[in-house]
Every structure is written in C-alpha cells, then in structure tokens.
Amino acid sequence: MNFCSTCGSSDIHLAVPEGDTFERHVCSSCAAVFYSNPKMIVGCLVTDEAGRVLLCKRAIEPRYGLWNLPCGFLENGETVEQGALRETWEEALVKVTTPRLHCIYNIPKVDQVYIIYAAQLLHRSEGTTTESLEVEFFHRQDIPWKDIAFTSTTFALEKHFEFLGKEAVPVHVGTFHNFAAR
Ligand SMILES: [Zn+2]
C-alpha cells in the first residue's frame, strides 16, 4: 500500500504490532495498522435433471477462455450461501435449489479460500453473461477436462462424480499450491 487510509501519509512500513504474530503494514505517522487477510470465493456446482454439470467459459483473466464453475468473491454483508447463489446467477443466469456444502479448498499461494456448494438447477434459464463466453451443461464424459481453468475446479468436479449416488457424502477439503490447471 502507498498511502495511509486514515491520515493520508505515504510513510508506511512493515512491522509486527505489539501482541501480534504477523507483519502488518503500519502507518509511521498515525500508527494505524492495516490487516490483509485471505479472500473468500464462493460458487456452485450445479447439476441439471439429466445429471449434467454446469460450466462457464471464462470471459475474464486469469485463465480466459477456460472452463470453470460459476464462482466469485464473497461480498460484505452476504452469507457464503447467498454469495454462491448470486455468483451463479451473475455468471450463468441460473437459479438453483437445495444448495449443500460440497467442498472447501485453500490456495495459500494466492491467499484465497473457496467454498463451493452443490445445487440442483431450478429451471432452464442459463445464458452467457459479461463474465462467461459460454455457459453449458456437460455429461461427465463430455467435460472438457483439458480446458478446465483451475486444478481446484477439477477437484470439485472429480469429487462430485466420485460420490455420486452414495448415501454419506462428506464435505471435501483440499489445499492447492498451483493456481493453474493440472
Ligand atoms: Zn496514518
């Protein structure tokens, strides 16, 4: 950061504040401490009545043109479920029902935590948006595995199919050190 948002000073330094264990940006003029914490990304793995899975072809960087689950940054004032449903609507024009927590994964390298719900398509309304070049439902065998945007997306898809039809389905937890697809 270049300027203190409290007093406007450009004299910012890194220090471990008293009682803290991490380095923070601290203003030398007014002693304000600025905390930076991981961002949360929320979204849905949506299935339709035929068991096909919804994917969106990214219209934005990074990984432009590759396929991803509809997801995005959680906004202030939202629950993770509300955010997941909102992102699904914003990216794919899809409304869903019976959302169930599907997976949580950490990407420490980029300071992100993903929370993905599994949900059923409510009615057929999908369409492209400014964030998605294409929006499509895929049978397992038709999924463009080589053009999936992120390793974490592949994880979410694989876990979905692995536990399909099983009675006890856990919340899948993963950690990824590589941002890109495998
Ligand atoms: Zn200041």
Side-chain angles (χ1 to χ4, degrees):
M1 61 186 296
N2 296 319
F3 294 98
C4 172
S5 60
T6 303
C7 76
S9 168
S10 61
D11 193 2
I12 307 285
H13 65 283
L14 276 173
V16 179
E18 202 180 327
D20 204 337
T21 47
F22 288 85
E23 261 194 344
R24 315 287 181 188
H25 283 103
V26 178
C27 175
S28 306
S29 296
C30 74
V33 180
F34 298 95
Y35 298 91
S36 175
N37 297 98
K39 293 251 188 288
M40 202 172 285
I41 288 107
V42 293
C44 286
L45 188 153
V46 183
T47 46
D48 71 2
E49 69 289 345
R52 298 180 303 173
V53 172
L54 176 70
L55 290 174
C56 302
K57 190 182 251 190
R58 291 172 66 81
I60 44 174
E61 292 291 354
R63 317 295 288 169
Y64 179 97
L66 298 180
W67 295 91
N68 198 19
L69 301 176
C71 62
F73 292 107
L74 182 67
E75 298 287 353
N76 291 339
E78 275 183 334
T79 66
V80 289
E81 186 175 312
Q82 285 168 344
L85 301 188
R86 176 185 51 74
E87 284 292 340
T88 302
W89 173 256
E90 285 179 4
E91 295 200 357
L93 303 180
V94 158
K95 296 243 190 237
V96 298
T97 182
T98 61
R100 176 186 60 74
L101 190 53
H102 173 54
C103 57
I104 298 176
Y105 40 85
N106 310 284
I107 311 183
K109 199 172 167 183
V110 291
D111 305 317
Q112 294 180 349
V113 176
Y114 281 69
I115 297 184
I116 304 294
Y117 282 80
Q120 298 288 319
L121 177 70
L122 193 58
H123 51 78
R124 205 146 282 288
S125 62
E126 70 272 21
T128 57
T129 66
T130 54
E131 295 174 47
S132 306
L133 300 169
E134 290 176 48
V135 171
E136 213 173 307
F137 283 88
F138 292 94
H139 283 295
R140 183 179 192 171
Q141 65 271 21
D142 300 327
I143 288 177
W145 294 105
K146 288 196 177 113
D147 293 320
I148 298 295
F150 305 108
T151 312
S152 49
T153 314
T154 304
F155 171 80
L157 289 165
E158 284 178 350
K159 288 296 176 192
H160 166 71
F161 289 114
E162 185 183 335
F163 284 85
L164 208 57
K166 298 206 168 135
E167 261 180 42
V169 181
V171 173
H172 311 287
V173 179
T175 296
F176 298 93
H177 300 288
N178 183 358
F179 196 44
R182 57 178 73 161

